[in-house]
Amino acid sequence: MNHFLNSISLHLSIRENTRDLQYARDYQPQSGGVSHLRVMLYGPVGAGKSSFIDSVSNTLRGRMGMETMTGTDQSTKGQSLTKRYKTHRIKKDGRNGYYNFVFNDVMGIEDGTGRGVHVDDIKLAMQGHVKDEYKFNPVSPLTSDDPGYNQSPSPDDKIHVLVCVYSANASEITDSVLHKMRDIREAACDLDIRQLLIVTKVDEACPETQESLRNVYKSKHVKKKMAEFSSKVGIPMRFVLPVKNYSDEISIDPDADTLILCVLRLILDFGNDFLEQCAQNTSTD
């Protein structure tokens, strides 16, 4: 009986995946002034920001690959490997061109001052003022006199969706990191940028999810973690989604794809909502 139910569940997952894959392939920003949706990920070091970008690419392309340098630098006490502000585009396999959404990764948030990404750099990036390949300086944020500062950002340069990333397997959020995350969230709210939170590494969080990703919404531990992050960061629970990034796999997993595509679908819908609001604001000015 369990095998039969699992077969049905797998069939439904594949069907849903096919629908959401097509949605991503056909996606076009619903605004005349924007050629692509820009999504930025932020969160503590090691949360899985870069890995999520790789995972989306793997899911969309149906094969394993690497878009980013993932992980942390163990030689420097777990500091982020992401040092520069970089736009990641995902190429369409067997087709010309790229998907009509891009991801921007940033240096991880660290405890204390003078470590990790500077919150002011993230605020400037949300407004489109940070040029591609700008090298983050944890001690001194970008200023308008720096070469990496974009004086006249276009609508394409600005962030349309902000994604907070946190690990279900992480220890307690420190007050310093939490303060930085809240500061970023408030700045995004002031800009009306849509936000969501993804909880990564759910497969490592408890025996249930380690046994099968289909147990993710049954896991009391994962649900507790999601509720905890929702409360502390200030993002509504309905916009907190679990995900399992690809890490040591050598082939695609339909169950992992289901969670990844669910997040991607919400990101694209949020982006359209934001662009639609921007178009309405422009027409009433």
Side-chain angles (χ1 to χ4, degrees):
M1 177 63 75
N2 285 339
H3 177 73
F4 176 70
L5 291 177
N6 284 340
S7 297
I8 292 176
S9 177
L10 179 60
H11 176 73
L12 291 174
S13 294
I14 292 173
R15 189 173 68 184
E16 291 296 307
N17 290 355
T18 300
R19 184 197 66 181
D20 289 341
L21 275 169
Q22 194 61 48
Y23 186 82
R25 287 170 181 152
D26 296 340
Y27 176 77
Q28 293 281 351
Q30 300 300 305
S31 173
V34 173
S35 62
H36 55 253
L37 190 72
R38 187 174 294 274
V39 183
M40 184 165 72
L41 294 89
Y42 76 101
V45 171
K49 301 179 295 299
S50 300
S51 293
F52 178 72
I53 297 173
D54 281 340
S55 297
V56 170
S57 176
N58 292 339
T59 296
L60 292 177
R61 302 176 73 176
R63 62 179 177 81
M64 306 306 290
M66 180 177 287
E67 297 288 330
T68 67
M69 287 294 293
T70 60
T72 55
D73 187 349
Q74 299 302 322
S75 67
T76 51
K77 299 182 180 179
Q79 293 179 2
S80 176
L81 279 179
T82 303
K83 306 295 184 184
R84 296 181 182 274
Y85 186 69
K86 185 175 181 180
T87 298
H88 297 277
R89 295 174 172 84
I90 300 175
K91 191 170 184 178
K92 293 183 177 180
D93 269 4
R95 298 171 154 198
N96 294 324
Y98 295 82
Y99 284 90
N100 293 316
F101 46 86
V102 301
F103 292 95
N104 280 94
D105 194 8
V106 300
M107 178 182 278
I109 298 172
E110 295 186 44
D111 193 23
T113 58
R115 300 182 59 186
V117 66
H118 201 290
V119 170
D120 287 347
D121 280 346
I122 295 185
K123 292 179 181 179
L124 288 173
M126 288 192 287
Q127 300 172 61
H129 287 300
V130 179
K131 291 183 179 180
D132 221 34
E133 296 297 335
Y134 163 70
K135 187 174 182 179
F136 294 106
N137 184 341
V139 178
S140 177
L142 183 68
T143 68
S144 58
D145 297 327
D146 291 330
Y149 187 89
N150 183 2
Q151 298 285 351
S152 303
S154 70
D156 270 332
D157 296 325
K158 298 178 181 180
I159 298 301
H160 309 127
V161 181
L162 185 66
V163 180
C164 179
V165 184
Y166 208 88
S167 169
N169 209 30
S171 56
E172 189 75 13
I173 308 174
T174 66
D175 289 341
S176 173
V177 169
L178 188 58
H179 176 77
K180 293 176 183 179
M181 293 170 71
R182 284 175 175 167
D183 195 5
I184 293 165
R185 169 163 163 69
E186 289 172 6
C189 287
D190 289 341
L191 295 169
D192 290 328
I193 296 174
R194 293 344 189 230
Q195 303 173 58
L196 65 146
L197 190 158
I198 58 175
V199 179
T200 60
K201 303 182 183 181
V202 294
D203 57 315
E204 302 175 16
C206 70
E208 278 183 291
T209 52
Q210 194 168 47
E211 179 184 348
S212 174
L213 286 175
R214 295 171 198 171
N215 294 326
V216 68
Y217 285 104
K218 300 176 185 177
S219 169
K220 293 181 180 179
H221 178 77
V222 172
K223 187 175 181 179
K224 181 181 177 182
K225 282 287 186 178
M226 291 167 65
E228 175 189 334
F229 298 154
S230 170
S231 175
K232 290 187 175 182
V233 180
I235 295 177
M237 185 67 173
R238 65 184 182 278
F239 301 140
V240 179
L241 287 84
V243 73
K244 192 273 184 219
N245 288 334
Y246 283 108
S247 53
D248 55 358
E249 294 81 6
I250 59 173
S251 61
I252 294 299
D253 177 0
D255 291 333
D257 285 351
T258 297
L259 298 178
I260 292 165
L261 287 169
C262 183
V263 173
L264 181 59
R265 178 78 182 241
L266 185 60
I267 287 173
L268 299 180
D269 287 341
F270 271 21
N272 273 341
D273 290 344
F274 175 74
L275 295 175
E276 194 174 286
Q277 184 64 52
C278 289
Q280 290 176 0
N281 292 343
T282 301
S283 64
T284 56
D285 288 344

